């Protein structure tokens, strides 16, 4: 009812995304409530049955940012990566590089006649790679060209065109990432304390989470969070000689499957450094587990709450 009221009172465009979707599948742009009624009815039916039918999914609906910054007349967004190494204290590090994903159809503000043009409004690689105007990047030297570029090259182009330096843009992105994780933190603490209780000890088993942030730069050069991916893709399309039997570029994992955290063998005593860490209250619970208190770590990080 609230969504219907909001859409009836607004001239904005809304975007509906399946919560379990990926690669742009199932995304719908709509300006009128009647255009989303089918999706709403499907999710309501699925919620009423005990066992959901295969393929049923919930949707999240957002207002669509209709005034993005354009480069070469194309809409783009950034996939940036944050590694969360601790919940107590909350510590995370922003990787100062990423991917800029470009649409392949020149952008126009959304209207009834172009809402279905996915290659104009959606930056997903899986969507745009099928377009005849998709421009692959053949080697590292071309990281500033094509339909998928490095974030650093895009920031450099923005600085040349608009006079805003890369450091300023990274500072804004850092604040956005920090605020996003701070908003998530209470739920994470509750989850680890109540739903999956585990001992909080600095020499206990360690873990980390890699998070993918999809960020859009608007026409005022402000970063806007589009979505957060808890399980972002960690592979790249390798051009050149690495071709599969069908002649397509192969996916190469960025994280090898056999690179996993190791815990001390049974009966092994902690080292002197570990014993010192265990008695240092400033870093208690620094890796793994839940709890309360703490802030973002500063070393090698551009993030601040």
């Amino acid at each position: 009812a609230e969504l219907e009221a909001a859409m009836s009172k607004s001239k904005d465009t809304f975007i509906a995304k399946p919560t379990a979707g990926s690669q742009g599948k199932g995304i719908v742009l709509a300006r009128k409530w009647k255009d989303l009624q089918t999706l709403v009815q499907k999710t309501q039916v699925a919620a009423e049955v005990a066992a959901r039918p295969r393929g049923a999914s919930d949707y999240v609906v957002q207002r669509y940012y209709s005034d993005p910054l354009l480069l070469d007349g194309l809409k783009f967004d950034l996939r940036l990566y944050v590694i969360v190494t601790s919940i107590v204290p909350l510590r995370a590090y922003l990787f100062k590089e990423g991917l800029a994903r470009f649409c392949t159809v020149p952008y126009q503000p959304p209207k009834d006649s172009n809402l279905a043009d996915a290659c104009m409004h959606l930056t997903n690689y899986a969507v745009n790679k099928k377009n005849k105007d998709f421009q692959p990047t053949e080697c590292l030297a071309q990281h500033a060209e094509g339909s998928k570029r490095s974030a650093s090259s895009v920031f450099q182009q923005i600085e040349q065109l608009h006079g805003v330096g890369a450091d300023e843009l990274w500072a804004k992105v850092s604040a956005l990432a920090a605020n996003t994780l701070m908003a998530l933190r209470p739920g994470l603490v509750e989850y680890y304390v109540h739903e999956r209780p585990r001992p909080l000890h600095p020499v206990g088993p360690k873990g980390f989470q890699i998070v993918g942030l999809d960020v859009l730069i608007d026409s005022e050069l402000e970063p806007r969070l589009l979505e957060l991916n808890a399980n972002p893709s960690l592979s790249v399309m390798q051009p050149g000689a690495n071709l599969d039997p069908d002649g397509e570029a192969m996916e190469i994992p960025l994280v090898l499957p056999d690179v996993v955290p190791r815990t001390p063998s049974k009966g092994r005593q902690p080292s002197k450094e570990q014993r010192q860490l265990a008695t240092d209250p400033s870093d208690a619970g620094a890796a793994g587990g839940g709890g309360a208190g703490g802030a973002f770590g500063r070393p090698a990080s551009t993030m601040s709450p």
Side-chain angles (χ1 to χ4, degrees), residues 22-219:
S22 63
Q23 300 183 333
K25 298 175 182 176
I27 295 179
V28 175
L29 270 66
R31 306 188 73 187
K32 301 175 183 177
W33 168 249
K34 65 181 181 65
D35 297 329
L36 290 182
Q37 279 184 310
T38 301
L39 293 181
V40 172
Q41 292 171 356
K42 182 174 72 172
T43 55
Q44 287 177 340
V45 170
E48 291 172 358
V49 297
R52 295 192 173 192
R54 184 177 179 86
S57 175
D58 292 334
Y59 279 75
V60 60
V61 181
Q62 305 166 281
R63 277 187 169 84
Y64 178 78
Y65 284 117
S66 59
D67 195 20
L69 178 69
L70 305 180
L71 292 179
D72 305 324
L74 301 171
K75 177 183 174 181
F76 69 96
D77 72 359
L78 303 168
R79 165 59 64 86
L80 305 174
Y81 295 92
V82 173
I83 183 168
V84 181
T85 61
S86 171
I87 302 300
V88 184
L90 183 54
R91 180 176 289 114
Y93 302 91
L94 173 66
F95 180 47
K96 291 188 69 175
E97 186 55 282
L99 299 174
R101 305 173 298 186
F102 281 73
C103 289
T104 49
V105 172
Y107 180 79
Q108 296 178 7
K111 52 187 178 182
D112 292 341
S113 61
N114 67 26
L115 290 181
D117 194 337
C119 292
M120 176 186 293
H121 296 291
L122 305 183
T123 60
N124 303 74
Y125 167 75
V127 172
N128 286 280
K129 70 177 182 179
K130 301 174 184 178
N131 190 296
K132 62 180 178 61
D133 293 321
F134 180 82
Q135 300 178 19
T137 301
E138 298 295 341
C139 62
L140 185 60
Q142 297 178 342
H143 72 100
E145 307 171 10
S147 298
K148 184 181 284 190
R149 312 176 193 176
S150 66
S152 57
S153 72
V154 165
F155 282 3
Q156 184 178 16
Q157 188 175 358
I158 292 174
E159 182 174 9
Q160 293 172 349
L161 294 174
H162 301 280
V164 177
D167 288 343
E168 182 177 348
L169 291 172
W170 278 119
K172 291 181 178 181
V173 168
S174 174
L176 176 66
N179 290 335
T180 299
L181 294 179
M182 288 295 287
L184 290 173
R185 185 175 184 275
L188 294 173
V189 170
E190 181 178 2
Y191 174 77
Y192 281 115
V193 171
H194 297 291
E195 296 189 28
R196 295 191 64 183
R198 59 186 65 189
L200 307 180
H201 198 282
V203 297
K206 305 300 190 293
F208 61 89
Q209 176 75 41
I210 297 177
V211 175
L213 299 179
D214 291 345
V215 177
L216 177 141
I217 308 294
D218 68 19
S219 61

Side-chain angles (χ1 to χ4, degrees), residues 234 252-260:
L234 292 177
I252 308 298
L254 297 179
V255 178
L256 298 179
D258 58 344
V259 179
V260 295

Side-chain angles (χ1 to χ4, degrees), residues 91-93 295-305:
R91 180 176 289 114
Y93 302 91
F296 286 105
R298 304 293 185 206
S301 172
T302 62
M303 299 175 64
S304 58

